[in-house]
Amino acid sequence: MPDLDTVRQEIERMRIQIGRQRKEILQLQRAGIGTASAEALLSRMEAKVEGLCVERDALKVAQPRQSRGRVLGGRTW
């Protein structure tokens, strides 16, 4: 089972790819080219990201809690 950081990196990478895919679909639509297969790929990519987010949330719950009440580089209240 992958660790939390690996899942987060994969989500970030996939979101970047989704953004590129959306831009490409817009370019194809402006050119009058059919985009059905590209849109199907986009929906599969979005479903994959949703699955990774569920996995990330499960890993976050399973991870032990770190000390609360501290702000990164801040004071302890």
Side-chain angles (χ1 to χ4, degrees):
M1 187 165 162
D3 65 339
L4 186 57
D5 289 332
T6 304
V7 174
R8 285 179 175 163
Q9 289 171 358
E10 182 68 12
I11 290 170
E12 182 180 352
R13 187 185 67 77
M14 290 287 292
R15 285 182 175 162
I16 291 168
Q17 284 183 339
I18 287 172
R20 289 180 185 151
Q21 184 75 14
R22 284 185 179 138
K23 289 177 187 176
E24 189 174 316
I25 288 172
L26 287 174
Q27 289 176 345
L28 291 171
Q29 288 173 341
R30 288 184 188 129
I33 300 172
T35 59
S37 61
E39 289 173 358
L41 173 62
L42 181 63
S43 66
R44 289 192 306 268
M45 291 170 72
E46 289 172 341
K48 173 73 173 175
V49 168
E50 289 176 15
L52 287 171
C53 288
V54 169
E55 185 178 346
R56 177 202 60 201
D57 293 342
L59 288 171
K60 281 173 58 176
V61 168
Q63 187 178 25
R65 296 279 181 196
Q66 296 178 354
S67 63
R68 291 185 177 223
R70 290 194 58 146
V71 179
L72 184 61
R75 299 183 197 155
T76 304
W77 296 98

